[in-house]
């Protein structure tokens, strides 16, 4: 029994380290009974599924200079099914205007912006991430967008 408990402990430690290495992407280890049938002493079987957050996590970073900025946006699908034909919406802070972008089409160039995936970037598989971004001008304000929605569903900020 002690060997099984140690193996489960190592599995949990590897899952935790993996989650940290992936920037906080949730990784869960199964607590199902081992092949022998019984759980180790002191281990309770789960009574309900683990809690889930939104279907996505968005990570936003920005590099600024004089009157310009470059943003990088990573969209992670935290759901169990693929997200297809995705649409990401966010409020671009006042004074920022998108001039060009990559891996998505952006419209309009300021205000409430909609980003849509290009032909080869329209599917985000379960647990997968997609990187998009843009270059913009600014009038001094380089704040990040305050929220993101993916296909109408609010995303967690990561």
């Amino acid at each position: 029994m002690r060997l099984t408990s140690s193996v489960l402990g190592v599995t949990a430690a590897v899952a935790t380290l993996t989650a940290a290495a992936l920037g906080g992407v949730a990784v869960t280890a199964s607590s199902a009974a081992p092949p022998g049938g019984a759980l180790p002493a002191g281990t309770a079987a789960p009574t309900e599924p683990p809690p889930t957050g939104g279907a996505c996590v968005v990570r936003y970073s920005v590099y600024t200079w004089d009157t310009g900025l470059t943003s990088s946006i990573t969209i992670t699908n935290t759901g169990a099914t693929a997200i297809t034909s995705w649409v990401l919406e966010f409020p671009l802070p006042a004074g920022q205007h998108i001039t060009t972008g990559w891996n998505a089409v952006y419209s309009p160039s300021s205000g409430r912006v909609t980003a849509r995936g290009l032909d080869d970037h329209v599917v985000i598989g379960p647990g997968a991430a997609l990187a998009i971004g843009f270059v913009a001008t600014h009038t001094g304000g380089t704040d990040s967008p305050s929220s993101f929605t993916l296909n109408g569903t609010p995303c967690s900020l990561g």
Side-chain angles (χ1 to χ4, degrees):
M1 290 283 185
R2 188 174 290 285
L3 178 59
T4 302
S5 295
S6 295
V7 170
L8 289 175
V10 168
T11 301
V14 168
T16 301
L17 289 172
T18 302
L22 293 175
V25 174
V27 177
T28 57
S30 172
S31 58
L39 290 170
T43 304
T47 56
E48 45 186 81
T52 57
C56 55
V57 173
V58 171
R59 200 173 255 165
Y60 184 91
S61 62
V62 64
Y63 171 77
T64 64
W65 68 93
D66 298 329
T67 60
L69 62 85
T70 300
S71 79
S72 295
I73 303 169
T74 303
I75 308 164
T76 302
N77 176 358
T78 58
T81 58
I83 298 171
T84 59
S85 300
W86 59 266
V87 175
L88 183 71
E89 293 182 284
F90 55 94
L92 197 61
Q96 295 180 18
H97 296 275
I98 297 173
T99 58
T100 189
W102 59 91
N103 294 342
V105 175
Y106 299 87
S107 68
S109 64
S110 63
R112 182 95 182 142
V113 175
T114 298
R116 297 178 190 279
L118 294 173
D119 293 340
D120 55 346
H121 292 92
V122 294
V123 177
I124 309 171
L130 175 70
I132 64 173
F134 59 85
V135 175
T137 60
H138 67 83
T139 57
T142 58
D143 293 338
S144 300
S146 57
S147 63
F148 294 86
T149 60
L150 185 64
N151 293 349
T153 301
C155 295
S156 301
L157 299 177

